[in-house]
Amino acid sequence: LAKMTESAELAVCIKPISPIMFFICLVSCTRGYFQGNQNMIPTAVSQVIEVMGKLGLGLFAGIFASKQGYSAPVVASFALSGVTLGVILSAVYMTFAKAVAKRDREVGLTENPRSGKAIAKELIAIAIPITISSSIMSMTSVIDSMLAVKRLNEACIGISYFSENMSDLAMAIYGAYMAKSVTLFNLPATIVQPFAISIIPAISSAGAKGNFEDLKKTVDFTFRIVSVVCLPCAVGLGVLAKPIISLLFSSN
């Protein structure tokens, strides 16, 4: 993957985050269990644990590696290890929370339970389109990074004031784009996402009961709240782009 982006040094950053592929599935499924019961507390607690682990452990590891005099890619890999540890800690908490919930909740058996095969078939039918739609943004980012870095490498040929290695200049430009522009772009989405997660159990329940009036009211109300957040963000980022970037990234 690193070679495909013409940045072989990225390999040391990809390796420490590879365990996330397993643990994030465990966390997501368990969060879905609680959200299906309209209990958002375990999800919220696990997200705080995850973020604090990413920030605290990642920052500590990055500072430690920097003081040891390691190269920039290695320092970045140490910092990214905090991301993995944060997700692992979140998975441990969610596993414990699920065990406690199962112990405290008495579940009665239905008279005619569905077979495992029927349940698996329904899960697959639901999961595949959701997985594909969720993967589009991630795949777009991967393709974007591959194309952008390659084009920047070609565009930087002949520019010698920055570095003898043109890939350094290309990565610096792309890093500014990803770390600053994309970060600001994702900020409103981060604020809005909890609304989407919170209403899924409510609209699913209303749909299953055939109560489409409540379903419509819930969706419309959520759209209004989201618009109150997103529209000012769009106008603010458009009009005050440079001052906002200068304020948040004053060091560079």
Side-chain angles (χ1 to χ4, degrees):
L1 288 173
K3 288 180 179 178
M4 288 172 64
T5 62
E6 296 186 2
S7 302
E9 66 273 11
L10 289 178
V12 295
C13 296
I14 296 175
K15 291 177 180 178
I17 62 173
S18 58
I20 291 180
M21 298 300 296
F22 169 75
F23 288 102
I24 200 66
C25 292
L26 181 64
V27 171
S28 299
C29 290
T30 315
R31 285 176 180 170
Y33 167 81
F34 286 108
Q35 290 165 200
N37 289 292
Q38 299 191 32
N39 180 6
M40 299 300 295
I41 294 176
T43 295
V45 174
S46 69
Q47 288 176 331
V48 171
I49 292 174
E50 182 179 329
V51 171
M52 293 304 295
K54 291 177 179 179
L55 175 63
L57 298 175
L59 191 61
F60 174 80
I63 293 173
F64 170 80
S66 180
K67 289 183 177 180
Q68 298 300 313
Y70 296 142
S71 63
V74 175
V75 172
S77 70
F78 268 80
L80 286 171
S81 66
V83 177
T84 301
L85 292 173
V87 174
I88 292 175
L89 290 175
S90 178
V92 171
Y93 166 77
M94 291 302 291
T95 303
F96 174 76
K98 177 67 168 59
V100 172
K102 186 176 181 181
R103 183 191 65 192
D104 294 342
R105 183 181 181 188
E106 294 183 2
V107 180
L109 297 177
T110 59
E111 293 182 0
N112 298 304
R114 289 182 296 167
S115 66
K117 183 178 180 180
I119 295 173
K121 184 177 179 180
E122 185 176 349
L123 280 174
I124 292 173
I126 295 172
I128 288 179
I130 293 176
T131 301
I132 293 174
S133 62
S134 300
S135 301
I136 289 175
M137 290 301 295
S138 298
M139 291 303 300
T140 301
S141 298
V142 173
I143 296 172
D144 185 30
S145 64
M146 292 169 58
L147 294 178
V149 174
K150 287 183 178 180
R151 295 301 300 148
L152 285 170
N153 277 328
E154 296 179 9
C156 292
I157 295 175
I159 302 176
S160 59
Y161 67 87
F162 184 86
S163 171
E164 294 181 0
N165 188 353
M166 290 303 102
S167 64
D168 289 347
L169 176 57
M171 290 304 297
I173 297 173
Y174 184 70
Y177 161 68
M178 288 297 296
K180 297 177 182 178
S181 300
V182 174
T183 299
L184 290 175
F185 170 78
N186 288 332
L187 183 58
T190 304
I191 299 172
V192 167
Q193 188 178 16
F195 293 107
I197 294 174
S198 299
I199 69 166
I200 288 174
I203 63 176
S204 297
S205 176
K209 295 175 182 177
N211 192 347
F212 296 105
E213 185 64 28
D214 285 350
L215 189 152
K216 184 177 183 299
K217 287 182 179 179
T218 302
V219 173
D220 289 345
F221 180 70
T222 305
F223 267 119
R224 287 197 293 270
I225 295 177
V226 168
S227 298
V228 169
V229 175
C230 287
L231 291 177
C233 287
V235 175
L237 289 176
V239 176
L240 303 171
K242 188 172 182 178
I244 291 174
I245 291 179
S246 299
L247 175 66
L248 297 178
F249 304 99
S250 58
S251 62
N252 185 9

